[in-house]
Amino acid sequence: MTSEVQTGAFAAVGGARPESKARSFARLGKLDVYDYYPSIVVALAAVLLPLSRFEAAQGWTLGLFLAGEVLVVMAMVALDDVTGYRDGSDAANYGPNDPLRRKLRKPLIAGTLTLREALAFAWVTAAAGAVLWAGAVAVAPHRPGWTLVLVPVLFVVALQYSYGVKISYHGFQEVFLVGLGVALVLAPYGLVAGRFSWFVLVLAVLFGFGPLMFGVYSNTNDIPGDRAVGRPTVACLVSERGNAVFVGVLSAAEFLLGALASATGAAPWWFVVLMLPVTVLRARQYLTGFRPGDIMTARKQGFVVHRVSTVLLVCAALLHGAEAAA
């Protein structure tokens, strides 16, 4: 299958390489999809105020953690492409009728990288990420016991998303997408704050909802390919109507979590009001995806919703810090 895919891809451009190796590696690492990386900004906002108490060690810890996070996530998505290439799901979702510009997002399918190159890239970035995370722990001003467990578990589990034990192939993809976002906020926060916070947990869960909510729209689009290789996403396991209900419930749950946090005191009373723009945008995304059935446009809207949500979560963390410091 490898030679056939490569031959077809390069034939489409007259036998010439369509882009540089560096660009292909950047595509393999999905550097243009950066929506997990602002987790570090959420963690920073939760400890930044008052500024007089912010220490250089905290800045170094967050910087090292972010650099490691980028590399670990790059390794995770590269291994996902390796598995998708090997089992044929990417070939099904990026079939012969797709334009080359779309295929290039999958360098193995486009033939711009070999399987050996992709695996080498994944393991090198994973190893470098591990070193940087170890450095973050070493220079951290605090090392609560739970963070010393969370960081290595996060590293190991991230690489098992669709490689190794293949978490996403055993019915846990949706849980993983949220959980990864949660851990990427809580781990650096714990290292620089030295404590656990229910409010930061709420921020972390809502941050994790972003990748989940454009993930479930992707799954809706990828049903044929995922079913063909036995990848049991919710979209594959239930009916079309059942999937629409599932996504609707998740959309409502995002709002309800903020409302519950405000009602119980886990978050300030104003938190649910601050996050209302996200609820409005999420409703728009749902109607786009399941009324006219434009799933891919709804998926794109999900990136916007997540980015708006992240900005509001950062604002909430800063406001909460300012109130506490006053």
Side-chain angles (χ1 to χ4, degrees), residues 71-77 79-80 122-123 125-127 153-167 176:
L71 290 168
V72 171
V73 172
M74 289 173 69
M76 178 187 79
V77 296
L79 291 173
D80 182 60
W123 293 122
T125 51
V153 168
L154 172 59
F155 174 77
V156 172
V157 172
L159 300 182
Q160 308 301 313
Y161 173 62
S162 56
Y163 198 83
V165 301
K166 297 183 178 180
I167 292 169
F176 177 94

Side-chain angles (χ1 to χ4, degrees), residues 22-61:
R23 181 68 183 277
S24 295
F25 280 121
R27 289 187 187 274
L28 183 68
K30 305 295 183 291
L31 281 176
D32 59 326
V33 183
Y34 51 82
D35 291 272
Y36 273 119
Y37 306 146
S39 62
I40 206 74
V41 183
V42 178
L44 170 63
V47 297
L48 186 60
L49 298 178
L51 283 172
S52 59
R53 296 182 185 175
F54 190 78
E55 303 172 355
Q58 292 174 301
W60 279 108
T61 301

Side-chain angles (χ1 to χ4, degrees), residues 100-169:
L100 179 63
R101 60 184 163 74
R102 195 171 105 91
K103 271 198 186 75
L104 289 173
R105 290 188 56 78
K106 294 288 185 178
L108 290 170
I109 296 299
T112 57
L113 292 177
T114 67
L115 188 60
R116 179 176 294 181
E117 288 172 331
L119 283 168
F121 174 86
W123 293 122
V124 168
T125 51
V131 170
L132 287 167
W133 275 358
V137 172
V139 303
H142 307 283
R143 300 182 192 88
W146 59 270
T147 61
L148 297 180
V149 174
L150 180 59
V151 173
V153 168
L154 172 59
F155 174 77
V156 172
V157 172
L159 300 182
Q160 308 301 313
Y161 173 62
S162 56
Y163 198 83
V165 301
K166 297 183 178 180
I167 292 169
S168 66
Y169 282 71

Side-chain angles (χ1 to χ4, degrees), residues 10-322:
F10 287 118
V13 289
R17 170 170 287 280
E19 62 182 13
S20 68
K21 284 276 188 180
R23 181 68 183 277
S24 295
F25 280 121
R27 289 187 187 274
L28 183 68
K30 305 295 183 291
L31 281 176
D32 59 326
V33 183
Y34 51 82
D35 291 272
Y36 273 119
Y37 306 146
S39 62
I40 206 74
V41 183
V42 178
L44 170 63
V47 297
L48 186 60
L49 298 178
L51 283 172
S52 59
R53 296 182 185 175
F54 190 78
E55 303 172 355
Q58 292 174 301
W60 279 108
T61 301
L62 293 173
L64 287 169
F65 193 93
L66 173 61
E69 176 180 339
V70 172
L71 290 168
V72 171
V73 172
M74 289 173 69
M76 178 187 79
V77 296
L79 291 173
D80 182 60
D81 273 16
V82 167
T83 298
Y85 177 72
R86 282 174 168 172
D87 66 19
S89 60
D90 280 351
N93 293 328
Y94 293 77
N97 295 325
D98 281 320
L100 179 63
R101 60 184 163 74
R102 195 171 105 91
K103 271 198 186 75
L104 289 173
R105 290 188 56 78
K106 294 288 185 178
L108 290 170
I109 296 299
T112 57
L113 292 177
T114 67
L115 188 60
R116 179 176 294 181
E117 288 172 331
L119 283 168
F121 174 86
W123 293 122
V124 168
T125 51
V131 170
L132 287 167
W133 275 358
V137 172
V139 303
H142 307 283
R143 300 182 192 88
W146 59 270
T147 61
L148 297 180
V149 174
L150 180 59
V151 173
V153 168
L154 172 59
F155 174 77
V156 172
V157 172
L159 300 182
Q160 308 301 313
Y161 173 62
S162 56
Y163 198 83
V165 301
K166 297 183 178 180
I167 292 169
S168 66
Y169 282 71
H170 296 288
F172 299 101
Q173 187 200 60
E174 293 82 7
V175 174
F176 177 94
L177 293 174
V178 176
L180 181 62
V182 172
L184 288 174
V185 173
L186 286 184
Y189 170 78
L191 291 172
V192 296
R195 62 184 181 273
F196 176 82
S197 163
W198 285 107
F199 178 54
V200 176
L201 176 61
V202 171
L203 299 179
V205 173
L206 289 176
F207 178 83
F209 253 82
L212 169 67
M213 293 309 295
F214 49 74
V216 292
Y217 285 89
S218 292
N219 291 345
T220 302
N221 182 70
D222 294 345
I223 288 173
D226 287 342
R227 278 181 176 164
V229 298
R231 195 173 195 172
T233 64
V234 172
C236 288
L237 296 174
V238 300
S239 66
E240 183 177 338
R241 178 175 175 78
N243 182 55
V245 170
F246 172 68
V247 176
V249 168
L250 289 179
S251 301
E254 185 178 31
F255 164 75
L256 291 173
L257 175 60
L260 181 63
S262 287
T264 59
W269 66 266
W270 45 258
F271 180 69
V272 64
V273 179
L274 180 68
M275 299 304 294
L276 281 178
V278 176
T279 303
V280 173
L281 291 173
R282 193 68 76 195
R284 174 173 172 262
Q285 180 190 17
Y286 183 81
L287 292 175
T288 299
F290 293 99
R291 284 293 174 85
D294 193 349
I295 290 296
M296 293 311 289
T297 297
R299 178 183 180 273
K300 290 179 182 178
Q301 290 174 351
F303 288 95
V304 175
V305 180
H306 176 57
R307 290 162 191 173
V308 170
S309 176
T310 299
V311 170
L312 293 177
L313 292 173
V314 169
C315 290
L318 292 173
L319 287 170
H320 185 260

